[in-house]
Amino acid sequence: QVQLVESGGGLVQPGGSLTLSCAASGFTLYYYTIAWFRQAPGKEREGVSCISSSDGSTYYADSVKGRFTISRDNAKNTVYLQMNSLKPEDTALYYCAAEAHLLCTYYTGSNPLEYDYWGQGTQVTVSS
C-alpha cells in the first residue's frame, strides 16, 4: 500500500527553522517526483517545491526561494524540506505528494492535480 507520512512540523518563532520529512512506504521514492504543497486556512493549496526523480532538478515558489531547500535521501526513502528564516505567512498545513513519470517544473511544482499520492500533512505555525 502506497503511503506518504509527513513529520517535523511545529510551532516556531519568526526567523526560526524547521525541517519537514516525507517518508514513503509501499513504494520506492527514487522513481517518483516529490512535491511539497501547503494550505493555509481559507486559501488554496499552494505549490512550495518539488524535486525530480530522474535528474534531481528542483523548483521553488518565489515566496520561499532562498529560504527553503528540498532534498532526498533515497537510502532512507525520504524527502526533506529544510525551511529557514520562517515568516508568519509560512504558516500552513504542509503536504508532500508523489507522482511517477513526472518532471519537476514550474508547472508540476505548482499544480496539485499532477499528483496522485498524498500524505496527511504536518502543521507549521510561525508565530511569536
Side-chain angles (χ1 to χ4, degrees):
Q1 182 179 358
V2 172
Q3 190 173 13
L4 294 170
V5 178
E6 303 95 335
S7 62
L11 173 63
V12 63
Q13 291 187 341
S17 298
L18 283 174
T19 300
L20 305 184
S21 299
C22 173
S25 61
F27 68 104
T28 303
L29 268 184
Y30 176 81
Y31 299 106
Y32 288 74
T33 286
I34 305 301
W36 286 96
F37 290 83
R38 65 187 181 185
Q39 189 165 18
K43 294 189 176 181
E44 292 186 353
R45 194 165 294 192
E46 172 192 16
V48 175
S49 181
C50 61
I51 184 166
S52 288
S53 59
S54 56
D55 59 4
S57 57
T58 58
Y59 155 81
Y60 296 95
D62 287 343
S63 58
V64 306
K65 201 171 293 182
R67 300 188 297 123
F68 290 12
T69 303
I70 192 170
S71 62
R72 61 197 307 155
D73 186 335
N74 293 324
K76 294 183 177 180
N77 219 28
T78 300
V79 169
Y80 303 97
L81 186 68
Q82 173 69 43
M83 306 186 297
N84 299 326
S85 303
L86 284 162
K87 305 175 181 180
E89 51 264 43
D90 294 318
T91 295
L93 188 60
Y94 283 70
Y95 299 90
C96 66
E99 186 60 47
H101 310 299
L102 188 72
L103 187 65
C104 169
T105 65
Y106 163 78
Y107 178 78
T108 62
S110 306
N111 190 355
L113 296 178
E114 293 291 317
Y115 298 86
D116 285 335
Y117 304 106
W118 290 83
Q120 294 301 306
T122 185
Q123 178 67 38
V124 172
T125 303
V126 185
S127 175
S128 56

